């Protein structure tokens, strides 16, 4: 599907072919990583921790470093929480969701900016808008930015380091129909 989208974009004139065709292929593969993460996080948000871990597994290097800055934490200081490896991060996410009482979540990823440094290294920034549903019908909304270091491991792109910088976290109350 991604290949077809790239072909349509190429033939429609949105993308100019370059001698570095490998770079376009790398960007397409890297762009799947934040989507993989969102799907894994939402599996955890539905209460299926193991499914979340299974979805996370191909997205991250086994010893990936993950960190989060909650709103109000200075971005130039130490993060609010850290974890090594996707399983440890999944456990952290599940703990936050359980403690908060969420019954489901939806993580939307946008404004994905990828900088391919070379054939095995890249950086990526993407924006987050996440909805978290509470049992009483109220919703918490979070907005933030993911900053990633991405590397190729055995021919597959993976997140090596992910930092989540949350800029807002707001309870919107119960929406009226």
């Amino acid at each position: 599907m991604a290949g077809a989208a790239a072909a349509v974009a190429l033939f429609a004139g949105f993308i100019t072919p370059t001698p570095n065709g490998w770079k376009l292929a790398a960007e397409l593969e890297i762009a799947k990583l934040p989507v993989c993460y969102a799907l894994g996080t939402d599996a955890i948000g539905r209460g299926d921790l193991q499914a979340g871990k299974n979805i996370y597994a191909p997205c991250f290097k086994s010893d990936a470093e993950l960190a989060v800055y909650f709103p109000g934490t200075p971005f130039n200081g130490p993060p609010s929480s850290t974890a090594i490896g996707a399983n440890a991060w999944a456990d952290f996410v599940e703990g936050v969701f359980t403690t908060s009482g969420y019954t489901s979540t939806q993580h939307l990823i946008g404004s994905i900016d990828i900088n391919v440094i070379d054939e095995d290294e890249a950086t990526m920034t993407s924006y987050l808008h996440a909805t978290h549903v509470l049992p009483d019908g109220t919703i918490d909304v979070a907005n933030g930015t993911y900053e990633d270091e991405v590397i190729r491991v055995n021919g597959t792109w993976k997140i090596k380091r992910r930092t989540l910088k949350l800029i807002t976290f707001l309870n919107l109350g119960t929406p009226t129909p």
Side-chain angles (χ1 to χ4, degrees):
M1 184 66 118
V8 167
L10 179 64
F11 291 121
F14 298 117
I15 299 172
T16 304
T18 68
N20 296 327
W22 63 268
K23 200 171 192 178
L24 177 59
E27 289 173 351
L28 289 171
E29 188 175 337
I30 292 166
K32 294 178 184 180
L33 295 173
V35 174
C36 172
Y37 177 81
L39 295 173
T41 301
D42 288 337
I44 296 167
R46 288 188 304 276
D48 194 342
L49 176 61
Q50 189 57 53
K53 287 181 176 185
N54 293 344
I55 294 168
Y56 278 176
C59 307
F60 290 94
K61 192 170 177 280
S62 62
D63 61 348
E65 300 171 23
L66 298 102
V68 61
Y69 289 85
F70 288 116
T73 304
F75 295 150
N76 61 352
S80 305
S81 189
T82 61
I84 301 296
N87 281 342
W89 185 256
D91 291 336
F92 168 75
V93 169
E94 193 262 345
V96 169
F97 289 175
T98 299
T99 300
S100 300
Y102 299 140
T103 59
S104 63
T105 65
Q106 184 180 62
H107 289 72
L108 303 174
I109 307 298
S111 300
I112 300 171
D113 182 39
I114 299 165
N115 176 31
V116 178
I117 298 166
D118 60 36
E119 293 180 0
D120 293 316
E121 188 177 4
T123 60
M124 176 173 53
T125 302
S126 53
Y127 292 170
L128 160 74
H129 178 86
T131 301
H132 306 82
V133 180
L134 292 152
D136 65 359
T138 61
I139 56 175
D140 288 342
V141 174
N143 292 290
T145 303
Y146 294 109
E147 296 175 355
D148 300 318
E149 293 178 29
V150 182
I151 62 169
R152 246 174 30 140
V153 178
N154 298 321
T156 302
W157 289 96
K158 295 182 180 279
I159 297 171
K160 172 184 172 182
R161 182 173 292 117
R162 166 160 274 200
T163 302
L164 168 56
K165 295 180 176 179
L166 290 166
I167 59 170
T168 63
F169 203 84
L170 177 66
N171 182 276
L172 298 182
T174 304
T176 55

